[in-house]
Amino acid sequence: MDLHFDLEKAKMYKSQSQAIRVLTESWAEANLFCPRCGFHRIKHFPNNRAVADFYCPACRSEYELKSKNGKIGAKIADGAYETFIKRITCDHNPDFLILSYHLSDLCVDDLLIIPKHFFTPEIAEKRRPLGDNARRAGWVGCNILFGEIPEQGKISIIQNRCAVDSNEVVAQVQKSVVLQTSNIEARGWLMDLLNCVNQVHGDIFALDDIYRNEAMLQARHPQNNNIRPKIRQQLQVLRDKGVIEFLGRGLYRKIF
């Protein structure tokens, strides 16, 4: 896999943002396999399609590509807030490909796939509306809060300029499917509890370790007045999905 961009693809563009978009998208089409099924290539949708950038000719999975100069960091700029929310909550939302590069050498540093079932409305941060003097006055963009996505949903395709074996990538994506749910409210609770579990140091944890997140969970789910029973219920869901194991006496083990 060639990690360098083909500069010939963007030589006609004067705008840096347009040039980078062309470079990253042409690189992806020339080099990427489908992380869902392992097919050797993905294809670009026509440019006027608003929902996704690429699709797999074999399994028809869809992908949206986001690129960033430098390290990925805690936030990734996206487009319009309302459009993003509609996209991730619909029945046919795409998986996201997150690519980082450096302008100094125009080479892919890291590439992740975030499967679509890890996206919840809580990971979208509203940006301030554009001012009255802006060409799109009042327009509201958003940031993807990368830190809010559970670690199980950040699957490396390229890491520190080294490509991960495609079979390993597909295996990890398929393993993550156990966490899939189409109900947005249930998905939000599941991702929140998964983050709580991930934040506990070590493989063994107690129910009380998760109860320490009660105030945070209450703030995120203000309509629920029974947070502790909900925590226990979601731990049972994670147990049934093979993410954790119940050891008895209020103790659990991480096994995902």
Side-chain angles (χ1 to χ4, degrees), residues 185-247:
E185 182 180 358
R187 189 191 303 174
W189 269 106
L190 190 63
M191 295 301 110
D192 283 345
L193 259 293
L194 187 55
N195 274 330
C196 291
V197 170
N198 288 341
Q199 289 164 11
V200 178
H201 295 296
D203 291 336
I204 307 296
F205 65 95
L207 181 58
D208 285 343
D209 292 323
I210 309 302
Y211 280 164
R212 294 192 181 100
N213 298 279
E214 185 175 3
M216 179 275 290
L217 292 168
Q218 181 68 76
R220 290 177 76 99
H221 304 275
Q223 304 304 316
N224 191 302
N225 295 316
N226 298 286
I227 298 299
R228 290 199 171 196
K230 189 68 176 181
I231 288 173
R232 294 193 296 272
Q233 178 204 60
Q234 291 303 301
L235 288 173
Q236 289 176 4
V237 172
L238 290 175
R239 180 202 63 190
D240 294 344
K241 290 180 177 292
V243 177
I244 60 175
E245 176 186 8
F246 180 54
L247 302 177

Side-chain angles (χ1 to χ4, degrees), residues 61 69 82 100 180 184 192 195 205-206 235:
S61 295
N69 178 29
E82 293 296 338
S100 68
Q180 185 168 321
I184 298 301
D192 283 345
N195 274 330
F205 65 95
L235 288 173

Side-chain angles (χ1 to χ4, degrees), residues 17-254:
S17 61
Q18 286 183 319
I20 288 296
R21 178 182 58 79
V22 170
L23 289 173
T24 54
E25 290 183 358
S26 61
W27 176 87
E29 187 166 30
N31 289 277
L32 280 187
F33 59 91
C34 173
R36 285 272 179 181
C37 74
F39 190 70
H40 68 277
R41 63 174 299 191
I42 57 176
K43 295 189 68 175
H44 203 293
F45 275 117
N47 287 332
N48 59 355
R49 183 181 174 90
V51 177
D53 298 316
F54 299 94
Y55 68 96
C56 173
C59 70
R60 312 307 294 184
S61 295
E62 298 186 1
Y63 302 97
E64 181 167 334
L65 178 66
K66 296 293 176 187
S67 60
K68 183 176 182 181
N69 178 29
K71 292 296 183 183
I72 293 174
K75 299 181 182 181
I76 302 166
D78 199 81
Y81 175 80
E82 293 296 338
T83 301
F84 180 81
I85 294 297
K86 288 178 181 178
R87 185 161 68 244
I88 66 172
T89 57
C90 72
D91 293 332
H92 196 62
N93 58 317
D95 296 318
F96 276 63
L97 298 168
I98 310 297
L99 182 154
S100 68
Y101 63 93
H102 274 95
L103 278 175
S104 58
D105 50 10
L106 293 175
C107 177
V108 179
D109 290 328
D110 297 287
L111 177 67
L112 304 169
I113 174 176
I114 302 176
K116 57 189 176 182
H117 48 276
F118 285 91
F119 279 83
T120 66
E122 288 75 22
I123 70 165
E125 177 187 61
K126 270 187 180 181
R127 297 206 299 266
R128 294 178 61 181
L130 295 182
D132 294 338
N133 295 326
R135 183 171 59 86
R136 293 185 294 171
W139 182 85
V140 178
C142 73
N143 295 313
I144 299 171
L145 298 177
F146 188 70
E148 294 285 332
I149 300 170
E151 292 304 311
Q152 291 85 349
K154 301 170 183 176
I155 300 171
S156 291
I157 299 174
I158 296 169
Q159 189 172 34
N160 296 323
R161 300 194 178 185
C162 292
V164 179
D165 181 81
S166 61
N167 292 326
E168 173 67 18
V169 174
V170 172
Q172 289 193 55
V173 172
Q174 291 303 314
K175 184 179 180 181
S176 79
V177 171
V178 298
L179 294 166
Q180 185 168 321
T181 176
S182 59
N183 182 284
I184 298 301
E185 182 180 358
R187 189 191 303 174
W189 269 106
L190 190 63
M191 295 301 110
D192 283 345
L193 259 293
L194 187 55
N195 274 330
C196 291
V197 170
N198 288 341
Q199 289 164 11
V200 178
H201 295 296
D203 291 336
I204 307 296
F205 65 95
L207 181 58
D208 285 343
D209 292 323
I210 309 302
Y211 280 164
R212 294 192 181 100
N213 298 279
E214 185 175 3
M216 179 275 290
L217 292 168
Q218 181 68 76
R220 290 177 76 99
H221 304 275
Q223 304 304 316
N224 191 302
N225 295 316
N226 298 286
I227 298 299
R228 290 199 171 196
K230 189 68 176 181
I231 288 173
R232 294 193 296 272
Q233 178 204 60
Q234 291 303 301
L235 288 173
Q236 289 176 4
V237 172
L238 290 175
R239 180 202 63 190
D240 294 344
K241 290 180 177 292
V243 177
I244 60 175
E245 176 186 8
F246 180 54
L247 302 177
R249 298 180 180 274
L251 294 177
Y252 299 83
R253 176 189 289 120
K254 303 175 187 178

